[in-house]
Amino acid sequence: MARNVLASSLLGAGFSIIFQILCRILTFGINAYIVRHVGREVLGIMNVRLLLLESTLLFLSREAINRAALSANAQQGDRCTWAQLINQMWLTVPICAVLCAPCLYIWINWLSAVDSIYLSQYEFACYAVALSCVLELVAESAVFVAQVFCFVKLKILLNTLHIFVRSAIFLWIVTGDGSAAINAFAIAQLSSAVTIVLGQYGFFYFYLKGFQDFVAQQSRKKPPPPKAWQSSLYKNMDDFPFKRLQDFLPCVLFNPAGKTFNRELQTLTLSFVKQGVLKQILTEGEKYVMSVSPVLSFGEQATYDVVNNLGSMAARFIFRPIEDSSYFYFTQTLSRDVKLSKQPSDMVRQAGSVLKNLLLGVSSIGLIAFTFGQSYSHPVLLLYGGPDFVAGGLPQSLLQWHCLAIYLLAVNGISEGYMFATNTSKDIDKYNYLMAIFSVSFLVLSYILTGIFGPVGFIFANCINMLSRILYSTHYIRQQYRILSMDPLLGLWPGKLFGGTLILAGIVCYLYQDSDLITHFGVGILAGIACLLAWALAHRDLVRLAWRYGRRIKID
């Protein structure tokens, strides 16, 4: 397999960032429309309660299986066959179907009550969301194959298509009848799930036909020169094991191992399952607290969710794609069960360099967000929701504290992602106990701090939790690279020039925050440009490296 994993990871991260930006812009536009024309309570039901159901089902059903399968494909290819991987991926469907029963019962009967005027729509939406999750996982084997064989553009295209379908159907129904917003949300979820399934299998149906024709042509004594589009689609695919669409189904692909499932893969999956449950609690903990205990009304939940989404934009469309791509890169580059000192030195040094540069990049973005967020939270929220939305000062305070969480989230995503990608099953089990402590502490802190500080307490609890996890993962990284005389954690230090420019920019923007919006934003733009130039000057080698990789990817 001659595919360039690093280049594919970088390309995937770039496309994912662009996609997430467009997706987030569309989502914010829809949310603004709902706040102004439908009501905050409906937005709270959809964005907090129903999306929490979707997140819970999908995460618990596929996260552990997907992560374990990626690691097994990279590091145990001689022991884990493709047939076993496909069989393992199809386990996500029955797992999700089984999880639907208790989750639906909890969401409909146990969680804080929904107003009677929305109750029938809410119950229908719960069933629709559960069904859409099961349908989406029907395509999981195809999604996994596309990820392993670096079909980056396919992922972005289908993600864009399913978001477009979901948004278009939702807006079409809501603009006709605003009172049916929750029903519209449910129908849109089902439609987008069908789009994912048809898109994934539709692509591979035509791809397999073209691939077989290409192989037949190249097997001739005098094969014709491949066309440019054929080279881009079919080159370096000698190890592609699929010949027909049925091979994506369980127990169809030829299995030389004989056994349906791989025991080592199942052991690794179970380790990730325990970790995944705890990570889901940490990721969506504040929503679980809001849903179980009536701390906030649905209207207040919507306000928190809007501000939380706005404050988490960097995490969603920058940090998460980088985290996913970096995790994929580290799993394909380093082995879990072999010490770094016994692995190829060039691969280890490349991975250490990539880790250092990733930490430098995401921590710099986090520092920029924290610096400018203190002065620009109020005007941004004013433009988004209007004077009534920012009245009282709670949204502004939430967003300002979110900017601190952004920095911690950036560092934690990369450092913990590297740790997960290189941990042995034993290390993962050990960390699961710590994750259990982090999870319980986070929920307790959320409940206590929310009672003291209000909704801002959720952010305080999240910051304390992430800081604890960062300390653990950075200790692991330092211990791994100490014997190699490398320290990737130096990437957390942004440099004197960039740090000094950030401090000066923050002071200047604060002094101009009482001026009119145009002047305030103008000063912010100039200060932002100055910060970016300072960063580029301080890290010229990294800028040149990124430029070379960008040109190489474009040429490929």
Side-chain angles (χ1 to χ4, degrees), residues 14 72 107 111 132 144 181 251 319 334 354 390 403 424 459 478 510:
W107 255 252
L111 300 185
S132 71
F144 175 73
C251 300
F319 300 145
L334 301 176
V354 169
V390 297
C403 292
T424 63
I459 303 174
R478 183 176 287 109
Y510 178 80

Side-chain angles (χ1 to χ4, degrees), residues 320-340:
R320 183 58 189 269
I322 293 174
E323 180 184 342
D324 289 343
S325 297
S326 63
Y327 177 84
F328 175 71
Y329 165 74
F330 290 130
T331 58
Q332 307 300 299
T333 305
L334 301 176
S335 176
R336 291 181 182 275
D337 302 317
V338 182
K339 293 182 179 180
L340 290 187

Side-chain angles (χ1 to χ4, degrees), residues 376-392:
Y376 289 91
S377 294
H378 182 269
V380 167
L381 291 170
L382 180 65
L383 291 175
Y384 179 80
D388 292 338
F389 184 72
V390 297

Side-chain angles (χ1 to χ4, degrees), residues 214-528:
F214 177 78
V215 171
Q217 287 180 358
Q218 297 303 306
S219 63
R220 298 174 185 173
K221 292 184 178 180
K222 293 183 179 181
K227 299 178 181 179
W229 64 270
Q230 288 179 319
S231 296
S232 64
L233 278 176
Y234 305 131
K235 69 177 182 179
N236 301 326
M237 298 294 284
D238 297 335
D239 56 339
F240 191 70
F242 305 95
K243 294 180 173 58
R244 50 185 185 155
L245 196 62
Q246 293 93 315
D247 290 341
F248 288 88
L249 299 176
C251 300
V252 173
L253 188 65
F254 173 69
N255 186 5
K259 296 181 179 180
T260 304
F261 297 104
N262 182 279
R263 180 173 296 179
E264 293 183 20
L265 177 59
Q266 289 179 310
T267 301
L268 185 59
T269 301
L270 289 175
S271 298
F272 277 119
V273 165
K274 291 177 279 187
Q275 188 184 90
V277 173
L278 300 173
K279 187 175 180 181
Q280 176 68 5
I281 294 174
L282 293 174
T283 303
E284 304 283 10
E286 70 273 9
K287 291 185 179 180
Y288 287 119
V289 172
M290 285 189 289
S291 297
V292 173
S293 176
V295 177
L296 305 173
S297 67
F298 278 113
E300 291 171 324
Q301 289 180 30
T303 301
Y304 176 83
D305 183 68
V306 167
V307 176
N308 182 49
N309 284 335
L310 188 62
S312 302
M313 276 200 305
R316 292 178 183 273
F317 64 69
I318 297 179
F319 300 145
R320 183 58 189 269
I322 293 174
E323 180 184 342
D324 289 343
S325 297
S326 63
Y327 177 84
F328 175 71
Y329 165 74
F330 290 130
T331 58
Q332 307 300 299
T333 305
L334 301 176
S335 176
R336 291 181 182 275
D337 302 317
V338 182
K339 293 182 179 180
L340 290 187
S341 58
K342 296 182 179 180
Q343 297 189 44
S345 59
D346 57 333
M347 301 299 288
V348 172
R349 293 196 171 276
Q350 185 192 67
S353 177
V354 169
L355 177 59
K356 177 183 175 182
N357 292 333
L358 284 171
L359 289 172
L360 174 63
V362 297
S363 62
S364 298
I365 296 171
L367 289 173
I368 290 174
F370 177 75
T371 300
F372 288 90
Q374 306 311 304
S375 300
Y376 289 91
S377 294
H378 182 269
V380 167
L381 291 170
L382 180 65
L383 291 175
Y384 179 80
D388 292 338
F389 184 72
V390 297
L394 175 61
Q396 177 183 349
S397 180
L398 283 170
L399 188 54
Q400 286 175 330
W401 282 109
H402 252 301
C403 292
L404 173 61
I406 287 173
Y407 172 76
L408 297 174
L409 189 66
V411 176
N412 180 68
I414 297 300
S415 61
E416 198 173 66
Y418 173 84
M419 185 178 68
F420 291 158
T422 56
N423 271 166
T424 63
S425 296
K426 184 178 180 180
D427 291 332
I428 293 172
D429 286 334
K430 179 182 176 182
Y431 188 64
N432 285 338
Y433 292 107
L434 283 174
M435 286 284 280
I437 297 174
F438 291 150
S439 301
V440 173
S441 302
F442 173 68
L443 294 177
V444 172
L445 280 173
S446 296
Y447 191 84
I448 294 174
L449 295 178
T450 302
I452 299 173
F453 300 104
V456 180
F458 284 126
I459 303 174
F460 290 162
N462 204 19
C463 288
I464 295 171
N465 175 265
M466 282 190 291
L467 182 59
S468 302
R469 292 160 64 185
I470 288 170
L471 291 175
Y472 184 88
S473 58
T474 52
H475 174 74
Y476 169 83
I477 293 170
R478 183 176 287 109
Q479 291 296 110
Q480 262 209 328
Y481 282 92
R482 177 175 294 173
I483 60 175
L484 302 175
S485 301
M486 294 180 64
D487 189 6
L489 298 180
L490 291 175
L492 294 174
W493 171 244
K496 295 181 180 179
L497 177 61
F498 178 62
T501 307
L502 275 179
I503 294 173
L504 182 61
I507 294 173
V508 171
C509 291
Y510 178 80
L511 294 175
Y512 277 87
Q513 66 179 349
D514 293 328
S515 58
D516 60 274
L517 283 178
I518 296 177
T519 302
H520 192 198
F521 277 111
V523 170
I525 291 172
L526 293 176

